[in-house]
Amino acid sequence: MNNIHLRPYHPSDLNNIIHIFTEAVHQLGIKHYSPAQLSAWAPSKPDRQRWHDRLESMVVVVAEQGATIVGFIGYDDAGLVDLLFVHPAFTHRGIATMLMQAVERLALANGVSQLQTKASMVARPFFESRGFVVIAEETVTIRGENLRRFAMDKIIKPTQ
């Protein structure tokens, strides 16, 4: 698939990860969230230390095309998929699916049989296409802005 390969996150990827997150939120979220909500979610001056700490607290898989990071996914030992973002220039190419399949394999190998996520309005259709079910609609307040999201989960099983 267009020479996309997956690898573990390295701390040297931090700037690229933040860039992909910011671009994805602002470019893909515009149909679902106001400019103020997008700025609260992905501020122009991100807290690099907070990002570093967050990424270090989970398993993060990076998708690359050549030497360019095009997407990433992060999940924790309890099966919470906390981050899944693809750069807007690389959407609809199966990258998010590749990342999710990798997490499902890793989770199963670690004895996790259920994944959860807190999906944005942008991400909900993708997660539903991967078998996740909405458990509850939620509102989260970020930097004074209320954003709608969905608690979702999925039972995962080894493929036959």
Side-chain angles (χ1 to χ4, degrees), residues 13-25 72 87-88:
D13 299 328
L14 182 63
N15 288 338
N16 290 323
I17 294 295
I18 293 171
H19 173 74
I20 290 169
F21 169 80
T22 303
E23 291 297 307
V25 167
F72 65 97
H87 191 283

Side-chain angles (χ1 to χ4, degrees), residues 62-101:
V62 171
E64 285 184 318
Q65 183 174 42
T68 302
I69 297 175
V70 296
F72 65 97
I73 190 168
Y75 79 102
D76 67 17
D77 293 337
L80 176 66
V81 178
D82 190 28
L83 297 166
L84 173 55
F85 291 91
V86 174
H87 191 283
F90 292 88
T91 59
H92 305 294
R93 296 186 191 183
I95 296 167
T97 297
M98 284 179 64
L99 289 163
M100 183 57 68
Q101 289 171 337

Side-chain angles (χ1 to χ4, degrees), residues 6 21 44 64 89 94 119 138 143 156:
L6 304 181
F21 169 80
S44 59
E64 285 184 318
E138 301 176 340
R143 296 177 187 85
I156 52 174

